[in-house]
Amino acid sequence: MKDSRIAARGLVLLGCGKMGSAMLAGWLDRGLPAASVWVQDPAPSLWVHGSGVHVNADLPSDPAVILIAVKPQMMGDALPAIAAFGGGDTVFVSVAAGTPLSAFEDAFGPASPIVRAMPNTPAAVGRGITAICANAAGQGALDEAEMLLSAVGDVVRLEGEHQMDAVTGVSGSGPAYVFHLIETLAAGGVAQGLPEDLAMQLAKATVAGAGHLAMEAEEDPAQLRVNVTSPNGTTQAALEVLMDEKSGFPNLLPRAVKAASERSKELADG
């Protein structure tokens, strides 16, 4: 990871739970010097102590980046502790759900470059996708934020913060929808006579493999579905249930995304 600003001035990671430690591991794997990183967390992941980074030590006087990875309910205590770094060219990157750019501008000042990011939980295994946007002062910081966040998966840029609630509904909350699909797919196998462990193994591998194929194939998912659906075959029989306009996926999933998006907006509005 080549970033002379960070190497010279340092990066502060505020919060080092699952998401924070996944990002830290990605940065170190990509060559970011451990001595350039300061971690602030009362109970960071255990491996962090032996990684060479500064743990709960005095912060550098003018860090290049402060990445905020604390839980939203801890934001009230965390932001005042770093407010003194606002007003300069320190870039603030937040991966905290439900906290809008305006909240950070209130804490650090509107002249501070601020990037808001929405990763999802597969970032913990380097297979996430993160959506980012920035305030007016932070538009020039998007390249640096994308470089940092790409350590845990793909990164996309939004037109503006107004799209963040929809992102929350699709990719932020989306892994839970897929986990529930795995649960219920395995339950269907058990109902048809499979042992629980075998049904779960089949369901996990099927969802993981189909997702990988969807990412790698030139065809879009609709065509991939057609490719595996023989006329009057077993897959068509199942899809007639799943694609029912009233009770199937075309009705259920848009409703789920809408519910998550609306709740995201409610949380941001306080």
Side-chain angles (χ1 to χ4, degrees), residues 186 188-199 202:
V190 172
Q192 295 304 311
L194 292 176
E196 288 186 8
D197 57 347
L198 176 57
L202 291 169

Side-chain angles (χ1 to χ4, degrees), residues 59-206:
L59 299 181
S61 60
D62 184 28
V65 177
I66 298 178
L67 197 144
I68 304 165
V70 299
K71 295 183 183 301
Q73 58 267 31
M74 299 172 62
M75 202 67 70
D77 294 328
L79 297 189
I82 54 173
F85 296 109
D89 68 346
T90 294
V91 175
F92 296 90
V93 180
S94 168
V95 297
T99 305
L101 289 169
S102 59
F104 297 106
E105 288 186 329
D106 289 344
F108 308 129
S112 298
I114 302 165
V115 176
R116 181 182 174 190
M118 169 59 71
N120 60 6
T121 53
V125 292
R127 296 298 300 270
I129 187 163
T130 302
I132 59 175
C133 61
N135 68 342
Q139 295 301 311
L142 285 169
D143 285 345
E144 189 168 45
E146 182 172 343
M147 178 197 66
L148 290 170
L149 294 164
S150 67
V152 291
D154 295 335
V155 179
V156 296
R157 300 190 187 190
L158 304 182
E159 294 176 2
E161 192 176 26
H162 65 282
Q163 294 181 319
M164 194 61 82
D165 296 322
V167 168
T168 301
V170 176
S171 62
S173 298
Y177 318 156
V178 178
F179 299 148
H180 188 50
L181 170 62
I182 293 172
E183 285 182 282
T184 52
L185 183 57
V190 172
Q192 295 304 311
L194 292 176
E196 288 186 8
D197 57 347
L198 176 57
M200 183 58 72
Q201 181 182 359
L202 291 169
K204 286 180 179 179
T206 298

Side-chain angles (χ1 to χ4, degrees), residues 12-13 37-41 53-60 85:
V12 175
L13 177 60
V37 181
W38 278 257
V39 170
Q40 293 287 300
D41 191 301
V53 305
H54 306 275
V55 180
N56 296 325
D58 292 339
L59 299 181
F85 296 109

Side-chain angles (χ1 to χ4, degrees), residues 237-252:
L239 287 175
E240 287 175 358
V241 177
L242 294 176
M243 297 178 72
D244 183 271
E245 289 294 333
K246 292 184 178 180
S247 61
F249 285 176
N251 180 275
L252 285 175

